[in-house]
Amino acid sequence: MSNPFLKQVFNKDKTFRPKRKFEPGTQRFELHKRAQASLNAGLDLRVAVQLPPGEDLNDWVAVHVVDFFNRVNLIYGTISDGCTKQSCPVMSGGPKYEYRWQDEQRYRKPTALSAPRYMDLLMDWIEMQINNEDIFPTNVGTPFPKNFLQAVRKILSRLFRVFVHVYIHHFDRIAQMGSEAHVNTCYKHFYYFVTEFSLMDPKELEPLKEMTSRMCH
């Protein structure tokens, strides 16, 4: 494994979470394979994210949310040793944006946390969402809940914050490892997907607006 990015990823056991798998033979597995094939074929990302004719939007979204979770988790894993309570005492995206954590258990009010603590809570929370059969049903024929896209919007807006923090505070590390192109591709894929299906409020995309306009337009 000569790629330093992959080496870094595979050395970071603590950032590895069990990947949510799609059962072979299921519709979602086939969609996952189709989405991967489009990416591997070098298809324009704007086209690759479009809903294939005749497919269910919720299925297509579910497959991508899980994929983005896995990819963003790995990206953060590569820089996590440089993201400490000391270097990043607040989860932020530059001086203008600070992200506070809120959940239904311990942090019922928005709470300022260090970036590594925020990331831990965020990844655990998303993992819980995507492994919850009531939100992401895996059985063929089990309908998605009525609030599925609403739940997805919250997951994606929180995942976006990881991109913001990594790009603004740790991009030198990404560049140093030669992973810039990989991270940029992941970000463009994410951006085209959320804009194709209006899954994020444009205001939430503001922190990376300048970079996005250079990269994606």
Side-chain angles (χ1 to χ4, degrees), residues 10-110:
F10 287 112
N11 287 342
K12 293 235 150 276
D13 292 339
K14 69 186 174 69
T15 62
F16 255 126
R17 292 154 192 275
K19 282 196 169 194
R20 170 77 176 206
K21 291 195 174 69
F22 300 105
E23 290 300 318
T26 63
Q27 177 68 1
R28 227 161 289 158
F29 180 76
E30 294 306 317
L31 280 179
H32 177 66
K33 278 204 314 192
R34 185 188 299 194
Q36 291 305 308
S38 296
L39 292 178
N40 295 340
L43 193 65
D44 179 345
L45 288 169
R46 276 192 189 88
V47 177
V49 299
Q50 291 169 6
L51 180 67
E55 297 298 350
D56 177 70
L57 174 63
N58 288 342
D59 273 323
W60 188 240
V61 168
V63 163
H64 282 80
V65 169
V66 173
D67 190 43
F68 291 137
F69 168 65
N70 286 326
R71 287 167 190 264
V72 172
N73 196 20
L74 287 180
I75 290 169
Y76 181 68
T78 64
I79 59 88
S80 62
D81 56 351
C83 182
T84 64
K85 279 189 222 170
Q86 290 72 35
S87 67
C88 304
V90 172
M91 173 58 182
S92 61
K96 273 177 75 178
Y97 300 96
E98 180 185 324
Y99 298 118
R100 300 188 168 207
W101 182 257
Q102 185 173 17
D103 57 32
E104 286 164 16
Q105 280 83 39
R106 192 169 164 191
Y107 299 98
R108 290 180 177 273
K109 290 183 179 171

Side-chain angles (χ1 to χ4, degrees), residues 118-137:
Y118 186 103
M119 296 293 187
D120 271 347
L121 290 167
L122 171 61
M123 298 304 181
D124 285 345
W125 177 80
I126 293 178
E127 196 170 18
M128 226 165 57
Q129 305 295 305
I130 63 178
N131 285 314
N132 182 341
E133 288 287 326
D134 292 335
I135 304 173
F136 282 75

Side-chain angles (χ1 to χ4, degrees), residues 1-7:
M1 238 188 296
S2 56
N3 184 321
F5 178 73
L6 288 179
K7 259 191 193 157

